[in-house]
């Protein structure tokens, strides 16, 4: 468009700003940058635009993304049923479940353990995990989902070419390989506080269910909950101790009518996802350790482990309280055996039961 026509529409000052912007962002240079960074783009009328986003009042016009986009439908599988099925039946036959996991950045050991457990089991069963790649619950749940071999997608509060926070650089690379990172904001736009609340509506919109793991009474996580409710999404939360400040927001949500999630099957059964999953998690999965041949010492150590991390000293104290006659070397050997057989995980010198599918 000639400069004179732009000035007629936008005025002199508006025209000057437009021309400056056009000089800074030459279309060919922008296209080449996207290609070098491996960034793709889709918009609201494109065939690959996530269908869930078109159902909300204020969908983004378009999305920049690296990796791939969340899937609305199941992969091609043989489905047997009535020829004249209901609308619900058609929807459920095609639907690929998605769950948003959100929570506190400064989370507790309890929050880390629950986020890790639920995300790992749900993703391992074929449910997509959506979050924001933030520190704390977001990043923990997404890391657990990828570790289980599942898919996870991060909605960023800035350009998809900017890793934020930098501490999640490894997670960012894994998400691009096993899922995707996406944003309605253009590349090179640095994250800032005002950009995060609007992106939360995309996190909830891409999901069928929102799970809150830990949240303070005035947590920013509750913004996502409000948007989820406006969009007609189901909200679940993990209950916590009444005296724990990190559980105040969760417990208040329960009083307001949120659903309780204490194990993966709570969500799966409520949502009737059993037939859609590659495998259904079992809340008693750790008991399957009985099918693995373990030494007597390893069996005793396993009985002392929990989903929450414990130091070696705490494990020894618990075994002593159980009247165990295992020596310290035998306990150490039992912990190593459990790690090698995938029944225990150690991080930062703390041990916990590992989810077994």
């Amino acid at each position: 468009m000639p400069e004179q026509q732009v000035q007629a529409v936008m005025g002199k000052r508006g025209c000057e700003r437009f021309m400056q912007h056009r000089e800074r962002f030459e279309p060919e240079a922008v296209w080449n940058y996207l290609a070098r960074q491996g960034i793709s783009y889709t918009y609201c009328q494109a065939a690959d635009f996530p269908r869930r986003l078109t159902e909300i009042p204020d969908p983004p016009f378009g999305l920049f993304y690296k990796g791939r986009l969340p899937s609305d439908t199941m992969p091609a599988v043989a489905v047997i049923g009535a020829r004249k099925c209901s609308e619900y039946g058609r929807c459920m036959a095609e639907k690929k479940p998605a769950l948003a996991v959100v929570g506190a950045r400064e989370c507790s050991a309890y929050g880390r353990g629950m986020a890790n457990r639920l995300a790992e089991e749900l993703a391992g069963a074929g449910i997509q995990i959506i979050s924001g790649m933030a520190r704390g619950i977001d990043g923990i749940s997404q890391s657990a989902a990828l570790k289980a071999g599942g898919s996870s997608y991060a909605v960023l509060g800035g350009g998809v070419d900017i890793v934020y926070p930098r501490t999640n650089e490894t997670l960012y690379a894994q998400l691009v390989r096993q899922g995707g990172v996406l944003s309605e904001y253009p590349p090179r736009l640095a994250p800032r506080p005002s950009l995060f609340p609007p992106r939360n509506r995309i996190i909830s919109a891409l999901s069928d269910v929102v799970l809150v793991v830990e949240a303070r009474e005035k947590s920013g996580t509750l913004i996502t909950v409000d948007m989820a409710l406006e969009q007609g999404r189901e909200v679940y939360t993990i209950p916590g101790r009444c005296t724990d400040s990190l559980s105040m927001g969760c417990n208040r949500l329960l009083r307001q009518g949120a659903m309780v999630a204490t194990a993966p099957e709570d969500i799966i059964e409520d949502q009737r996802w059993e037939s859609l999953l590659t495998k259904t998690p079992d809340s008693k999965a750790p008991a399957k350790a009985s099918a693995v041949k373990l030494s007597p010492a390893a069996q005793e150590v396993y009985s002392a482990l929990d989903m929450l991390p414990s130091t070696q000293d705490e494990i020894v104290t618990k075994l002593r309280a159980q009247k165990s006659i295992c020596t310290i070397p035998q306990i150490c050997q039992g912990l190593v055996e459990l790690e090698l057989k995938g029944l225990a995980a150690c991080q930062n010198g703390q041990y916990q039961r590992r989810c077994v599918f």
Side-chain angles (χ1 to χ4, degrees), residues 294-350:
L294 295 173
S295 67
Q299 291 178 28
E300 289 203 49
V301 173
Y302 186 78
S303 70
L305 293 179
D306 201 341
M307 295 305 300
L308 294 180
S310 301
T311 64
Q312 185 175 310
D313 289 342
E314 290 171 338
I315 294 169
V316 171
T317 301
K318 190 178 292 187
L319 286 171
R320 292 291 178 262
Q322 296 174 1
K323 308 300 183 183
S324 171
I325 60 173
C326 288
T327 63
I328 300 296
Q330 287 174 328
I331 293 172
C332 293
Q333 186 176 351
L335 287 169
V336 172
E337 183 180 342
L338 291 172
E339 279 193 86
L340 291 175
K341 293 184 177 179
L343 298 175
C346 178
Q347 186 173 12
N348 300 325
Q350 294 186 314

Side-chain angles (χ1 to χ4, degrees), residues 1-20:
M1 181 183 292
E3 186 173 343
Q4 294 81 358
Q5 294 182 13
V6 174
Q7 184 169 335
V9 174
M10 304 180 66
K12 185 176 181 181
R13 294 190 64 180
C15 176
E16 290 175 355
R17 287 196 297 270
F18 176 82
M19 299 308 292
Q20 290 173 357

Side-chain angles (χ1 to χ4, degrees), residues 21 33 90 98 113 177 217 265 347:
H21 181 83
Y33 178 78
R90 283 194 295 272
R177 288 196 302 269
E217 195 165 11
E265 65 271 17
Q347 186 173 12

Side-chain angles (χ1 to χ4, degrees), residues 36 52 92 152 154 246-247 268 270 273 303 316 322 354:
R36 288 196 306 272
R52 288 180 177 94
M92 294 306 289
S152 184
L246 281 167
S247 293
I268 292 169
D270 288 349
W273 284 347
S303 70
V316 171
Q322 296 174 1
R354 191 175 182 279

Side-chain angles (χ1 to χ4, degrees), residues 29-47:
V30 172
W31 178 265
N32 291 337
Y33 178 78
L34 295 180
R36 288 196 306 272
Q37 294 292 320
I39 299 172
S40 302
Y41 180 76
T42 185
Y43 69 104
C44 56
Q45 295 183 351

